[in-house]
Amino acid sequence: MTDRSRDRRAALIGVLIVAVLGLGVNRLLLPGGTGEWYLSLVKPDLNPPSWLFGVVWPILYILIGAAGGLIWKASFNRARFWYILQLALNLLWSPVFFGMQRVDIGLGVIAALNIAAIIATIRMAAVRRLAAWLMVPYLIWIAFAAILNLRIWQLNG
């Protein structure tokens, strides 16, 4: 098996694992979706329509899963550590924000997520540049999500 085909296989496995984790955890922990509570919140003008989240997140999970797969077998344990940490924080945010209805704690989680994802991306660049580039749309989205979380917290107390 060539290095290129090993990379493809690792990226595909990463996509499957992250997609199942990301989409599955949210479905298990939030079976009713975001619920009436979220709909009742005052949201900032920059809040995108709800349907957009259902389009964006599967794409992002594919990208970050592929990125994780590309760096997984490398000997750079720091890249893996930060990748796993940011993924855990990602999976924690929805249950905290929507499930516990804690906008304030969600803000802390998403701030930590942004920091961990940036460090993960920098560490991943040292292993595989492509892996780091695959993380860029995710970094942009979670930075935007952090701004939304902050504004919702400010508007709703």
Side-chain angles (χ1 to χ4, degrees):
M1 183 179 291
T2 67
D3 285 343
R4 187 174 224 147
S5 60
R6 268 192 286 271
D7 283 350
R8 283 189 199 131
R9 177 177 285 172
L12 179 59
I13 291 169
V15 166
L16 292 173
I17 291 170
V18 169
V20 167
L21 282 173
L23 299 173
V25 164
N26 285 327
R27 296 237 192 272
L28 284 173
L29 296 176
L30 304 168
T34 59
E36 294 296 319
W37 168 79
Y38 180 72
L39 296 175
S40 72
L41 293 174
V42 177
K43 293 175 207 67
D45 291 338
L46 57 102
N47 199 64
S50 296
W51 63 264
L52 186 61
F53 294 96
V55 172
V56 170
W57 274 112
I59 294 167
L60 292 175
Y61 283 137
I62 289 169
L63 294 174
I64 63 177
L70 289 173
I71 61 106
W72 198 255
K73 290 192 176 199
S75 62
F76 290 81
N77 289 333
R78 288 185 200 151
R80 267 187 286 179
F81 168 80
W82 287 100
Y83 179 81
I84 292 168
L85 178 60
Q86 68 79 29
L87 186 58
L89 290 166
N90 176 304
L91 297 175
L92 179 63
W93 183 84
S94 287
V96 168
F97 186 91
F98 294 110
M100 295 170 54
Q101 300 176 1
R102 292 300 305 260
V103 177
D104 55 344
I105 297 172
L107 184 56
V109 171
I110 203 162
L113 167 58
N114 273 270
I115 293 166
I118 290 167
I119 295 170
T121 303
I122 292 166
R123 298 286 186 190
M124 292 166 84
V127 178
R128 287 290 308 269
R129 222 178 239 325
L130 175 59
W133 280 109
L134 289 171
M135 294 287 286
V136 171
Y138 173 62
L139 293 175
I140 294 167
W141 185 260
I142 63 173
F144 175 65
I147 293 167
L148 284 177
N149 193 151
L150 172 64
R151 291 294 298 136
I152 289 170
W153 177 67
Q154 290 171 333
L155 293 169
N156 294 277

